[in-house]
Amino acid sequence: MDNSVRNYVTELNTGILVLDESLKIMYLNSSAQSMLDISLKSSRKKELKELFYEEPDSYENFKSCLSEKSNFTKVDALLFVKGGKRLLCDYHIQHFSYDPVEEGLIIEIINKEYSHEIRERLRSQTNQEVTSAFIKGLAHEIKNPLSGIRGAAQLLSQKFSDLGLNEYTEIIINQTDRLTSLVDNILGPNRKPSFEARNVHEALENVISLVHQDLREKDIVLVKDYDPSIPDIFIDSYLLEQSILNLVNNAKEALEDSNILSPKIEVGTRILHQEFLGEIQHKTVCKISVIDNGPGIPSEIRESIFFPMISTKVTGSGLGLSVTQGIISQHHGTVSCKSEPGKTEFSILIPVENGVPEEKKLGKIHA
Ligand SMILES: Nc1ncnc2c1ncn2[C@@H]1O[C@H](COP(=O)(O)OP(=O)(O)OP(=O)(O)O)[C@@H](O)[C@H]1O
Ligand SMILES: [Mg+2]
């Protein structure tokens, strides 16, 4: 394929797969790579049936399009993609031959879940942003009177020292300190992020070094599944580490409290193409995922886990995920979760904007 044509095909929102005469992959564009969760490199020379399976099995359709030199269209197909993902789509199989002997198939896949998913993601993100802004506003308003109460209690303690009443002023001071620290946690990290072009794997490795020993002691296996081709992206490493650490700690705590036989946490990275973050479609997005094989998120809190102070743990403050979400939105990214018993996956998506700090691009459409 001519390179400039290939560039256009690569960027299409429709997934395009090109198969040779033995139904092996010759090429797939970025959208097909995202939909089928596979990179171009690792798909090469793989057979189509190694990428997805359809119920009822449709492999014969592909073979007969080849043998009969015919085309085929399927509406509302449900594909089971390798790795457990399901993909609701329409697809079209087109036979082609480019010289007397060479032939193959072009498959066009139109993802139908995408538009629904984008709308859902946007709705839930807006809800969370409104609630978080309200709670943070309230927390901020509570902070000022608290410092007033503390100051007055300190003055009183000086006056009461002779009367033996300091015990009471101490209680006021300690309790206001407790409230202040709670409010500070709700407000999240008390500084603006400072973005630098960094490799996300450095941040992941720093997080892993913090939890490694603890995981080993608890017999939790840690699996790394990095995509080494991810370029440097503009991040605040310290804050990003904080946000990933919250996810890894949650995974660890979920596994500790369960009786899973082989507890495992998988930390992975991937590049996604043409992905929507909010209303903006980004050409390239970096995905960081933390997956555990624990019991899953209890259904009664599944919709509200990103709100502050939602927790099922005796000693949990319920702030970890809300802080993570705050940090990731400072990176103009999103954090989402899919959970079922045996597999809970948190995904952080951050745009890769090739060398220009995100804050300079705010408000622009990233074509
Ligand atoms: N990987 C997971 N598996 C199962 N449940 C989870 C997982 N991650 C989060 N949760 C649920 O979401 C709740 C909220 O998590 P969050 O990190 O915000 O607070 P927390 O862990 O309870 O407290 P904190 O992080 O402040 O110590 C948890 O209490 C837990 O019920
Ligand atoms: Mg937590």
Side-chain angles (χ1 to χ4, degrees):
M1 198 187 307
D2 171 66
N3 261 351
S4 55
V5 176
R6 184 184 275 246
N7 283 345
Y8 283 112
V9 176
T10 299
E11 310 269 312
L12 288 178
N13 282 339
T14 309
I16 303 286
L17 284 93
V18 183
L19 310 177
D20 66 14
E21 66 288 342
S22 49
L23 295 183
K24 287 197 172 134
I25 311 290
M26 287 169 73
Y27 169 77
L28 31 69
N29 73 347
S30 313
S31 294
Q33 290 171 46
S34 280
M35 288 180 210
L36 301 175
D37 237 353
I38 192 158
S39 68
L40 182 59
K41 202 166 153 204
S42 44
S43 73
R44 208 157 268 149
K45 288 288 163 200
K46 276 217 158 84
E47 279 196 49
L48 184 68
K49 61 181 168 198
E50 294 178 73
L51 265 58
F52 66 80
Y53 169 77
E54 192 185 349
E55 188 66 71
D57 190 1
S58 57
Y59 201 61
E60 288 305 316
N61 290 337
F62 293 89
K63 279 195 193 157
S64 58
C65 283
L66 204 57
S67 56
E68 292 162 20
K69 304 190 188 312
S70 60
N71 302 331
F72 176 80
T73 299
K74 175 100 182 252
V75 177
D76 285 343
L78 187 58
L79 308 185
F80 295 86
V81 178
K82 195 187 68 126
K85 191 169 124 181
R86 285 150 50 118
L87 178 72
L88 177 66
C89 63
D90 296 342
Y91 67 75
H92 175 74
I93 309 172
Q94 174 81 41
H95 177 269
F96 72 90
S97 50
Y98 50 91
D99 71 30
V101 280
E102 304 275 5
E103 60 172 352
L105 299 178
I106 295 178
I107 306 171
E108 250 183 282
I109 306 180
I110 298 164
N111 188 346
K112 288 190 131 174
E113 273 170 14
Y114 212 49
S115 50
H116 172 71
E117 198 182 306
I118 291 162
R119 252 183 281 124
E120 248 327 279
R121 239 195 265 165
L122 198 59
R123 189 192 59 80
S124 127
Q125 198 183 331
T126 314
N127 267 350
Q128 284 160 17
E129 275 168 11
V130 169
T131 316
S132 280
F134 170 73
I135 292 173
K136 288 190 176 183
L138 196 63
H140 195 259
E141 288 308 307
I142 291 171
K143 244 189 119 158
N144 288 339
L146 275 180
S147 64
I149 295 169
R150 192 183 198 282
Q154 270 177 325
L155 287 175
L156 276 180
S157 77
Q158 286 164 14
K159 303 245 179 221
F160 285 171
S161 58
D162 298 341
L163 301 171
L165 294 173
N166 277 5
E167 190 191 330
Y168 300 109
T169 50
E170 277 302 307
I171 292 175
I172 300 175
I173 291 170
N174 287 340
Q175 295 301 317
T176 47
D177 284 349
R178 224 176 116 188
L179 272 177
T180 307
S181 114
L182 173 69
V183 163
D184 281 340
N185 284 333
I186 291 179
L187 288 171
N190 185 21
R191 69 173 177 85
K192 284 212 151 164
S194 98
F195 294 107
E196 271 179 278
R198 299 291 285 271
N199 190 306
V200 285
H201 297 123
E202 268 173 36
L204 280 168
E205 286 298 308
N206 287 342
V207 171
I208 287 169
S209 67
L210 291 175
V211 294
H212 195 249
Q213 191 53 31
D214 198 15
L215 294 181
R216 184 178 289 182
E217 281 166 17
K218 285 165 182 149
D219 287 331
I220 299 175
V221 174
L222 181 85
V223 179
K224 296 189 233 174
D225 179 17
Y226 295 164
D227 175 350
S229 70
I230 296 179
D232 285 0
I233 59 176
F234 277 84
I235 51 173
D236 181 315
S237 290
Y238 173 79
L239 292 179
L240 187 67
E241 281 165 27
Q242 193 60 49
S243 67
I244 299 168
L245 183 62
N246 290 343
L247 301 183
V248 175
N249 276 336
N250 279 348
K252 184 189 77 185
E253 285 155 12
L255 291 168
E256 271 171 359
D257 296 341
S258 70
N259 299 320
I260 307 287
L261 279 181
S262 325
K264 186 175 83 175
I265 299 178
E266 200 178 310
V267 179
T269 55
R270 285 285 177 278
I271 280 287
L272 305 181
H273 299 280
Q274 311 299 353
E275 192 73 23
F276 274 90
L277 299 185
E279 283 167 304
I280 300 172
Q281 188 174 26
H282 292 263
K283 199 167 152 188
T284 332
V285 164
C286 165
K287 173 177 168 184
I288 302 168
S289 52
V290 177
I291 306 170
D292 69 72
N293 61 348
I297 295 172
S299 56
E300 62 276 15
I301 60 159
R302 213 166 273 172
E303 292 290 305
S304 47
I305 46 167
F306 290 104
F307 294 150
M309 315 205 64
I310 298 289
S311 177
T312 51
K313 298 171 195 167
V314 183
T315 51
S317 65
L319 293 173
L321 289 177
S322 126
V323 167
T324 293
Q325 194 177 49
I327 293 172
I328 300 306
S329 48
Q330 284 176 320
H331 285 75
H332 309 296
T334 60
V335 48
S336 60
C337 171
K338 281 188 191 153
S339 179
E340 58 186 73
K343 186 174 181 191
T344 297
E345 173 169 9
F346 280 87
S347 306
I348 292 175
L349 301 182
I350 300 177
V352 175
E353 298 299 351
N354 299 332
V356 183
E358 263 300 290
E359 52 204 350
K360 288 192 181 159
K361 295 188 129 195
L362 247 188
K364 285 192 184 166
I365 302 287
H366 307 314

